[in-house]
């Protein structure tokens, strides 16, 4: 059960955010603000107390607060983002994290380990850590050493497409997952009920389960129907401006 979330307002510099979705063009700041406001309002509608951090113009991607930290009930891990343009974000999230955790519950991934929260998918008390261009084996090892002290477990899975694990596999609770065609073949996920999202709707894999409801990106009817057919109530949120800089629904908040 989630009760809290941390978000950060988009900055005007987000037009310079990291992107592979070049065909979609650059995000429009004013539209991004409106979409972000709707996203935060939706979290609040679902019962979360949201801490809204101010925009940080030094870091174009800083609205994606999920990447510089991984939070859970018993501890929090400040990650070590792999890209230079994002690495400084880890220092700016610490104060917000420390409002909710004591000093002995906050840990850091240290170089040469790298990690971004978009590669960390939680299933119960287990974490699947995607090994990707952003999260390396040393980062995953340090993460495992930290969380196992608090009764959690973790294992790694390869990310062989795109940016982060959660762009291609998302757990929706009740043993249900949304996966890409490639992640459908991942042995670690064989015992889950998997819905393979069609290639043209791949962005919709990154839907967000909050306390029984699933927030789904607007504009992906096949995935929306699949989630509804699983029995979940849904809320549609437009995140199209964030898609242009490789961002999606889970990226925009830390939930705990």
């Amino acid at each position: 059960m989630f009760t809290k979330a941390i978000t950060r307002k988009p900055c005007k510099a987000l037009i310079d955010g990291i992107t592979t979705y070049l065909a979609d063009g650059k995000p429009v700041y004013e539209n991004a603000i409106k979409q972000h406001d709707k996203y935060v309002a939706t979290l609040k509608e679902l019962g979360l107390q949201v801490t809204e951090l101010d925009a940080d113009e030094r870091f174009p991607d800083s609205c994606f607060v999920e990447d510089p930290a991984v939070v859970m009930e018993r501890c929090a891990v400040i990650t070590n983002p792999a890209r230079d343009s994002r690495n400084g974000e880890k220092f700016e999230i610490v104060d917000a994290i420390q409002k909710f955790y004591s000093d002995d519950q906050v840990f850091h991934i240290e170089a040469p380990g790298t990690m971004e929260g978009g590669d960390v998918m939680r299933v119960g008390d287990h974490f699947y850590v995607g090994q990707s261009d952003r999260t390396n084996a040393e980062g995953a090892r340090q993460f495992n050493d930290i969380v196992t002290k608090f009764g959690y477990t973790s294992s790694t899975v390869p990310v062989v497409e795109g940016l982060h694990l959660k762009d291609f596999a998302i757990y929706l609770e009740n043993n249900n997952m949304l996966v890409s065609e490639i992640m459908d073949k991942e042995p670690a996920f064989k015992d889950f009920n998997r819905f393979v999202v069609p290639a043209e709707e791949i962005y919709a894999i990154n839907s967000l389960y909050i306390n029984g409801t699933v927030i789904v990106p607007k504009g992906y009817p096949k995935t929306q129907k699949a989630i509804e057919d699983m029995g979940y109530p849904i809320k549609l949120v437009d995140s199209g401006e964030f898609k242009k800089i490789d961002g999606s629904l889970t990226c925009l908040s830390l939930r705990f």
Side-chain angles (χ1 to χ4, degrees):
M1 181 80 174
F2 296 118
T3 59
K4 302 178 184 67
I6 297 171
T7 64
R8 185 181 294 280
K9 294 181 184 300
C11 62
K12 293 179 180 178
L14 94 159
I15 62 171
D16 299 316
I18 301 167
T19 181
T20 58
Y21 289 104
L22 298 176
D24 287 344
K26 286 183 176 289
V28 177
Y29 170 71
E30 292 78 11
N31 292 343
I33 288 291
K34 291 176 184 176
Q35 291 179 5
H36 194 266
D37 286 347
K38 171 63 175 174
Y39 175 85
V40 171
T42 302
L43 295 180
K44 291 178 178 178
E45 288 169 12
L46 294 173
L48 301 194
Q49 178 184 346
V50 182
T51 299
E52 300 180 67
L53 305 179
D54 291 337
D56 192 333
E57 295 294 340
R58 296 170 299 168
F59 302 107
D61 295 283
S62 56
C63 59
F64 302 131
V65 291
E66 183 180 58
D67 288 322
V70 179
V71 293
M72 58 207 83
E73 298 89 347
R74 299 164 217 156
C75 65
V77 180
I78 308 300
T79 66
N80 190 30
R83 295 290 289 268
D84 289 344
S85 65
R86 299 207 62 188
N87 191 264
E89 293 175 34
K90 66 189 180 188
F91 301 114
E92 306 309 318
I93 201 70
V94 172
D95 284 350
I97 296 294
Q98 288 178 330
K99 287 181 171 67
F100 301 100
Y101 296 90
S102 61
D103 289 347
D104 61 358
Q105 291 178 302
V106 179
F107 299 83
H108 298 258
I109 302 296
E110 306 286 355
T114 62
M115 173 172 275
E116 294 185 5
D119 279 320
V120 182
M121 181 178 72
R122 183 174 179 176
V123 177
D125 279 348
H126 185 78
F127 294 91
Y128 290 97
V129 178
Q131 286 196 233
S132 68
D133 289 341
R134 303 300 183 87
T135 299
N136 63 17
E138 173 60 16
R141 184 196 67 76
Q142 290 181 31
F143 181 82
N144 182 72
D145 286 350
I146 293 164
V147 300
T148 52
K149 295 173 186 174
F150 292 87
Y152 302 102
T153 56
S154 77
S155 59
T156 60
V157 294
V159 178
V160 295
E161 53 186 336
L163 189 63
H164 290 133
L165 172 63
K166 285 190 289 196
D167 294 329
F168 303 99
I170 279 286
Y171 184 59
L172 295 180
E173 299 298 329
N174 308 313
N175 209 47
N176 295 318
M177 292 185 75
L178 303 178
V179 294
S180 66
E181 189 172 348
I182 290 176
M183 278 299 177
D184 186 48
K185 300 177 176 64
E186 169 54 48
F189 300 152
K190 65 181 176 58
D191 292 330
F192 293 97
N193 301 319
R194 303 178 307 280
F195 173 75
V196 180
V197 173
E200 69 272 16
E201 292 197 1
I202 199 77
Y203 180 74
I205 286 176
N206 196 280
S207 295
L208 176 55
Y209 176 94
I210 300 281
N211 300 341
T213 295
V214 179
I215 306 176
V216 182
K218 189 176 180 180
Y220 303 92
K222 294 176 183 176
T223 308
Q224 176 185 337
K225 183 178 186 302
I227 294 170
E228 289 173 326
D229 287 348
M230 293 176 193
Y232 300 103
I234 68 161
K235 287 184 177 288
L236 290 177
V237 171
D238 187 354
S239 55
E241 296 302 320
F242 300 101
K243 177 185 176 185
K244 296 173 183 177
I245 51 171
D246 290 357
S248 44
L249 293 175
T250 68
C251 310
L252 289 167
S253 63
L254 287 164
R255 303 151 308 273
F256 52 109

